[in-house]
Amino acid sequence: MTLESTPRIGTVYLIGAGPGDPGLITVRGMELLSTCDVVVYDRLAHPSLLSHARRGAEKIYVGKASAQHAMRQPDINALLIANALEGRSVARLKGGDPFVFGRGGEEAEECRAAGVPFQIVPGVTSAIAAPAYAGIPVTHRDAASSFAVITGHERDDARESGTRAPGEAEGRRNWVHIAHAADTLIFLMGVEALPEIASRLQENGRDSETPVALVQWGTWAQQRVVSGTLATIVEDVRQAGLTPPAVCVVGEVVKLRPALQWFESLTTSPLNGKRILVTRAREQASELSELLRAKGAEAVEFPVIRIAPLEDCTAIDEALGNLSTYDWVLFTSINAVPIFAERLSKLNLDARAFHGIKLAAIGPATADAVRRHLGIRADFVPTEAVAEAVLGQWPDPEMSGKRILFPRALEGRETLPEQMRARGAVVDVLPVYETLYDSESGEEMRRLLNEGRVDAITFTSASTVQNFALAVSIPSQSLAETVGKTRIVAIGPVTAAAAREFGLVVDLVADEHTIPGLATALETLWSPPHV
Ligand code: SAH
């Protein structure tokens, strides 16, 4: 092997993804996530974080819901090391903090043994964050001056690691010690072992009236909390049907929850706690995601399309050179505006090039983009983003003979230009970008759909539907089967028609064909019926 062909060894970054809320990853973690070649993640890392991975990064899922199906720890270690030895940088994204029951220590040891460099990026642990989002401070001057974080399920922990025989760790636990380890006891992996935890703590001197709370999916939109006392909690949890993952907090601090609970009451919107897929291009997703999050929903961004400026700019440059020959420039999509604006500036031109030319923007978001990128207020924004409204409300009394420049996608629909031409306008369609298929989220999207963990999918254009179908298709299964009970919501009739072509049942079409209109429409899906 020559020196050149010896790959340099990549670094493994053990990154704390935080407890769930994607905003709770650290700045350093996010930085690394967006630059690494491979992302290895499990179930407790929020799926939205994956959309921040570098384009083209390989994403490998290693954790399934039940221990039996999880990739075994030795295989995970081998995977990390093999990738690093091939010269790839590896983001090992782990729920919470990598060194709090995360097997981070073991993974780091294995890296060291294999001569693979590693770095640790601590994370916000669920042990503290889940109680915090439930309004339970783990310490408080009047209620607790210490806390301990304890595993509730040593057996499974040991079995998964493959280092101990099943049952070996059982009975080894020193419950006297655990019961008095600190004022506040925090159990992770404690749901299945809850009966044992509750009874052992009482047997070993914790008062049966000690308050207890379980926080399930803490910091996620689906967070649920059940509280009781050591005497009642097993029955309380059984009745509520609470399942893992959950953090169990034992101690006087739990009493503060009624006064300090905040997260569950942030919003009264019916979208609270719903998980909604956003399939728009990454660059455009944030507006919808933010609206949904403001209503308490969990927006999961799985872009299926990607906006790419055309490489060959000759036609754009030519049109910009002849701008003064046009009466109107028409933007129907927010995507065309920044690309057009950037080309303008590359040619050393600015807003003055539009002198005497009118601007039409279809939809308020497009009008906003025109203002932001070109510094121009649109002369015409139709009340509705459909061809009839554009033509019906067109401000020039006479369209005939007018020259209209129409910068848009390469593969746009011909309806509008054709109808304008039918009225005598001269329309120059100018492709400035193309919509490319983005398949990066396909596998993860399929997984969440199969697990039944998605409440609704939003489609904002026909191309999001087509590419979604492409991204999640399973040969043996129709798209409708893959989607299952998940609701389908379309921004407008054209998008809805595209979804129906794929055999999907569209549950809702937004009345107002805008992103805010779509967010409002979503709320009606779960509103109590009017009487
Ligand atoms: N390293 C992680 C813990 C991994 S052990 C951390 O620091 O948070 C896995 C356990 O963590 C789960 O069984 C559950 O008890 C807890 N857990 C992780 N995320 C959680 C969340 N969002 N809500 C409640 N419990 C969570």
Side-chain angles (χ1 to χ4, degrees), residues 8 36 65 82 88 122 137 154 161 174 182 193 199 225 270 292 296 327 358 371 395 423 489 493 515:
R8 145 192 92 70
C36 277
R88 312 214 278 168
E154 207 174 44
S161 76
N174 183 341
S199 61
V225 182
L292 297 176
D327 299 293
K358 288 189 174 149
R371 197 166 46 242
R423 295 181 180 213
V489 186
I515 294 298

Side-chain angles (χ1 to χ4, degrees), residues 16 18-21 43-45 94-104 123-131 149-153 157 187-191 214-220 223-224 243-248:
D21 182 338
R43 179 170 92 113
L44 295 174
K94 300 172 77 71
D97 179 275
F99 277 4
V100 177
F101 302 127
R103 300 281 181 75
V124 174
T125 177
S126 66
I128 296 173
V149 181
I150 303 153
T151 167
H153 217 197
D157 210 26
F187 292 91
L188 301 193
M189 300 175 280
V191 178
L214 272 90
V215 187
Q216 179 195 37
W217 289 115
T219 82
W220 295 64
Q223 172 172 315
R224 272 177 76 203
T243 51
V247 165
C248 169

Side-chain angles (χ1 to χ4, degrees), residues 224-237:
R224 272 177 76 203
V225 182
V226 173
S227 24
T229 63
L230 276 180
T232 67
I233 194 70
V234 172
E235 184 55 21
D236 297 332
V237 164

Side-chain angles (χ1 to χ4, degrees), residues 309-317 343 431-432:
L310 291 191
E311 272 173 31
D312 181 358
C313 297
T314 335
I316 309 177
D317 292 355
R343 213 51 223 163
V432 297

Side-chain angles (χ1 to χ4, degrees), residues 341-356:
E342 187 172 328
R343 213 51 223 163
L344 192 72
S345 131
K346 283 253 164 62
L347 297 180
N348 284 325
L349 295 170
D350 60 24
R352 286 170 295 182
F354 288 87
H355 177 70

Side-chain angles (χ1 to χ4, degrees), residues 275-288:
R275 171 176 281 181
I276 294 162
L277 290 197
V278 175
T279 54
R280 314 193 83 194
R282 195 185 304 211
E283 304 78 10
Q284 322 166 309
S286 60
E287 188 195 358
L288 179 54

